[in-house]
């Protein structure tokens, strides 16, 4: 079982802009710290990413993984399909529209295949979460 972390923020951009940033996976290397490559492999019937492959700099090694995406009302979630060194990488962005701003809750559950103490796994998951949320906020606000 992975380490569960979550964090919330308010982004000064409308929900449509935030969703556009979240679903433009191929642009993640431009703004998401540590992501070296992102490639959308398939799309759903609405043109949104359904599966995508990533290559990231995980500080101790480069890691590759593939995620499957699902969409709900103002929500994007993903599940790990396969990965190197990673056994779990499941997450969700839940968006709450509020006029020209958007409340964002980011939930993440992550685990690795290498033996690490729980506090190190938790710290790594928290770092992924914080970097992702900060990058999303910067990118969306620069467009919003």
């Amino acid at each position: 079982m992975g380490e569960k972390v979550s964090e919330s923020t308010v982004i000064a951009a409308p929900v449509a802009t935030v969703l556009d940033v979240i679903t433009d996976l191929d642009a993640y290397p431009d703004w998401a710290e540590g992501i070296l490559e992102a490639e959308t492999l398939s799309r759903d019937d609405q043109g949104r990413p359904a599966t995508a492959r990533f290559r990231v700099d995980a500080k101790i090694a480069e890691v590759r993984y593939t995620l499957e995406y699902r969409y709900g009302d103002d929500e994007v979630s993903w599940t790990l399909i396969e990965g190197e060194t990673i056994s779990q990488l499941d997450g969700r962005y839940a968006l709450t529209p509020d006029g020209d701003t958007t409340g964002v809750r980011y939930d993440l559950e992550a685990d690795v295949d290498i033996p690490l103490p729980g506090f190190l796994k938790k710290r790594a998951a928290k770092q992924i979460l914080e970097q992702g949320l900060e990058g999303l906020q910067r990118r969306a606000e620069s467009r919003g």
Side-chain angles (χ1 to χ4, degrees):
M1 184 127 166
E3 295 297 325
K4 293 182 181 182
V5 292
S6 64
E7 191 168 315
S8 297
T9 193
V10 175
I11 296 178
V15 71
T17 300
V18 177
L19 276 171
D20 284 347
V21 172
I22 291 170
T23 58
D24 186 6
L25 302 180
D26 296 333
Y28 276 33
D30 296 338
W31 63 267
E33 186 175 333
I35 296 185
L36 303 173
E37 292 177 7
E39 177 188 7
T40 300
L41 301 175
S42 66
R43 295 187 177 274
D44 68 10
D45 59 358
Q46 294 182 35
R48 302 171 299 193
T51 57
R53 182 175 31 239
F54 296 86
R55 183 173 63 91
V56 301
D57 177 1
K59 306 293 183 217
I60 56 172
E62 279 189 14
V63 176
R64 289 174 169 73
Y65 55 85
T66 303
L67 302 177
E68 179 178 55
Y69 287 84
R70 291 175 308 286
Y71 301 88
D73 293 334
D74 296 325
E75 179 177 298
V76 178
S77 61
W78 57 91
T79 305
L80 181 73
I81 297 173
E82 63 180 354
E84 299 172 352
T85 317
I86 298 174
S87 56
Q88 184 174 23
L89 189 62
D90 304 334
R92 174 180 77 116
Y93 284 115
L95 309 179
T96 305
D98 187 14
D100 289 338
T101 66
T102 303
V104 180
R105 178 181 168 100
Y106 183 6
D107 300 308
L108 184 69
E109 188 169 1
D111 204 356
V112 293
D113 291 334
I114 55 178
L116 287 175
F119 77 93
L120 287 178
K121 289 181 182 184
K122 185 88 162 183
R123 185 183 305 161
K126 190 75 169 162
Q127 184 176 11
I128 293 167
L129 181 98
E130 289 170 354
Q131 289 174 345
L133 202 52
E134 289 169 10
L136 173 63
Q137 185 168 15
R138 279 192 309 273
R139 182 73 166 201
E141 288 179 352
S142 73
R143 291 182 173 191

